Amino acid sequence: MTARLYYNDSLLARFDATVTEAGVLPDGRPFVVLDKTGFYPTSGGQPHDLGRLGDATVLDVIDRDEDAAVLHVLDRALGPGVDVSGEIDQARRLDHIQQHSGQHVLSAAFVHACAAPTISFHLGPDVSTIDLTAVLEAEAIARAENEANRIVQENRPVEVRYASAEEAAALPLRKEPKRGGTLRLVDIENWDLSACGGTHVSRTGSIGGIAVTGWERYKGGTRVGFACGHRAVRHHRLLRDVVIEATRALSVQMSELPEAVRRLQSDSREARQQVRGLTESLAKYEAAELASSAKEIAGHRFVVRVVDRDANGLKLLAQAAAALGPSVVLVSPSRPALVVAARGATVVGPNFSSAVTAFDAKSLVASLIARFGGKGGGRPEMAQAGGLDGDPTEIGAASAEILKGD
Ligand SMILES: [Zn+2]
């Protein structure tokens, strides 16, 4: 068991200790256990500290459940029995203190203002979250946020004390404690009493302020994001910069932003509809132009053309042109090439009846694949292939030859 100096001094920045155990984790990183430590191990939703132990850098701090030892994972090995001095990254610790104490104040505010208990807490790198059992709307969340900030501004004392499980059972703890034995209690005067092993402020004013950054429905309740102290300012700065950029881009005031975005969305929807309409009419003209260029091959009308379209565009154009009369073979200008063949709606020529049966789009595509490679298929009325390894003009010429041979 490691004596935890942070329990009674959450601002302790330096300490001296002795290495009582030195080992290597399964992942190969060395670790040491000390007789006492100021380093906080990841637990209770609060991440571990960083810092230095002698010449070594502390990379991770782990709570070993079986013997309550604190493992300091290091970038280099330290021998057992050595005396070391520890130095804790204070900026990181202070940030964690603000978030964790802020969480206690905010969770209690949700109980007092909305009767919504917290079931879990996560202290993230930018924002932290608490999960509440109730589904809450903006108004209720703002009420709890106001209450939490009132407690911060009243600068109430925060005390740490210890109680046995029996003593604790008689106390109005916000949450049922998970462990037995002696409990460490964090007491925010006349506001919140919780069993917690985390590091906390000594007065609520040091939390600085509590800002709810967002919320969402989560597992039948609400997940609330928040940022305290320096983080709240950092978050505000981020929002401010985004808003300034958006208001400048749209030439509107901040309060007009949502309306301006809605207007843009509806304008762009309208424009998309117009483009769709115009594209369709354009396709009709293109199809008419294609159909009118049909040439007679072996007694019926054909269009063989290289057209720059994707597979779907080629198919739509071939269908539209074929609907106007001639059979159509379209080849993309890319290499490998795409080919689409469509049987014409009417076949004009001396051998009307034989011509209709003569053009089989599927067998044409199969002949092209046999010659140029690639893959494809379809029906006698409509077939397509891709991956043809040949010059597009050559593929077009080959199609005409195959048609003549029919
Ligand atoms: Zn806590």
Side-chain angles (χ1 to χ4, degrees):
M1 184 171 146
T2 312
R4 298 171 192 228
L5 304 170
Y6 59 83
Y7 270 172
N8 296 314
D9 185 357
S10 62
L11 296 177
L12 182 72
R14 290 163 181 277
F15 64 96
D16 293 313
T18 307
V19 176
T20 56
E21 179 189 338
V24 177
L25 290 173
D27 65 10
R29 293 185 299 172
F31 73 85
V32 293
V33 175
L34 307 173
D35 58 340
K36 54 183 181 289
T37 188
F39 280 93
Y40 185 83
T42 300
S43 53
Q46 181 180 334
H48 63 87
D49 284 326
L50 293 175
R52 297 189 69 77
L53 266 186
D55 292 335
T57 301
V58 176
L59 306 172
D60 196 359
V61 189
I62 300 167
D63 214 336
R64 189 165 63 192
D65 285 339
E66 55 266 34
D67 60 353
V70 175
L71 272 53
H72 305 75
V73 181
L74 307 173
D75 68 336
R76 69 188 70 179
L78 289 178
V82 247
D83 291 332
V84 284
S85 50
E87 201 182 323
I88 294 152
D89 177 338
Q90 276 297 283
R92 179 176 164 93
R93 165 64 73 78
L94 284 171
D95 172 51
H96 291 170
I97 286 177
Q98 284 188 321
Q99 311 316 311
H100 198 156
S101 294
Q103 181 260 316
H104 281 219
V105 171
L106 185 62
S107 284
F110 274 110
V111 171
H112 296 310
C114 316
T118 295
I119 42 172
S120 72
F121 162 50
H122 172 71
L123 203 169
D126 296 308
V127 292
S128 305
T129 55
I130 48 175
D131 294 339
L132 307 173
T133 53
V135 173
L136 298 178
E137 303 303 331
E139 186 273 325
I141 290 168
R143 214 165 353 112
E145 191 183 30
N146 283 341
E147 278 294 273
N149 281 289
R150 178 173 68 81
I151 301 304
V152 170
Q153 282 144 26
E154 286 174 7
N155 200 23
R156 296 192 185 192
V158 179
E159 267 162 22
V160 169
R161 50 200 170 87
Y162 297 86
S164 66
E166 297 77 53
E167 286 165 334
L171 293 169
L173 294 182
R174 173 161 50 80
K175 205 174 158 186
E176 184 109 357
K178 278 189 204 142
R179 59 173 81 187
T182 303
L183 290 174
R184 180 175 183 262
L185 303 179
V186 176
D187 187 355
I188 301 172
E189 192 181 79
N190 294 327
W191 186 249
D192 185 52
L193 183 63
S194 291
C196 176
T199 55
H200 289 276
V201 295
S202 55
R203 298 193 78 96
T204 56
S206 305
I207 295 167
I210 302 173
V212 169
T213 56
W215 63 89
E216 59 184 345
R217 292 281 283 271
Y218 182 75
K219 288 188 178 170
T222 309
R223 171 165 282 183
V224 176
F226 67 96
C228 304
H230 291 300
R231 284 191 185 203
V233 175
R234 212 164 68 203
H235 191 77
H236 174 264
R237 196 175 293 149
L238 192 77
L239 286 179
R240 180 197 63 202
D241 292 349
V242 168
V243 168
I244 287 177
E245 206 170 309
T247 52
R248 280 190 189 146
L250 299 176
S251 303
V252 294
Q253 298 295 313
M254 187 173 83
S255 59
E256 297 163 349
L257 260 185
E259 181 49 36
V261 170
R262 273 193 291 274
R263 209 165 42 236
L264 268 185
Q265 282 176 321
S266 90
D267 286 355
S268 105
R269 233 184 339 262
E270 243 168 68
R272 270 201 309 275
Q273 266 165 8
Q274 272 178 2
V275 167
R276 205 176 303 133
L278 290 171
T279 309
E280 276 166 23
S281 351
L282 185 62
K284 275 181 213 153
Y285 285 111
E286 284 174 320
E289 188 274 323
L290 263 187
S292 71
S293 74
K295 299 243 163 29
E296 202 161 293
I297 302 175
H300 49 272
R301 292 171 63 224
F302 273 102
V303 179
V304 180
R305 182 86 72 89
V306 176
V307 182
D308 191 4
R309 288 289 147 83
D310 62 6
N312 197 43
L314 280 182
K315 203 172 151 186
L316 289 174
L317 187 56
Q319 269 171 334
L324 297 173
S327 295
V328 180
V329 179
L330 300 181
V331 186
S332 73
S334 54
R335 186 167 180 168
L338 299 165
V339 172
V340 174
R343 179 191 283 171
T346 56
V347 183
V348 180
N351 303 321
F352 180 79
S353 57
S354 68
V356 172
T357 50
F359 183 63
D360 181 340
K362 192 179 173 185
S363 83
L364 171 76
V365 165
S367 307
L368 289 174
I369 290 173
R371 190 146 158 195
F372 297 100
K375 275 200 294 197
R379 295 166 288 112
E381 302 80 36
M382 180 90 196
Q384 58 272 314
L388 281 78
D389 185 25
D391 179 73
T393 329
E394 211 180 302
I395 296 171
S399 306
E401 268 168 46
I402 294 165
L403 294 168
K404 272 178 207 156
D406 273 344

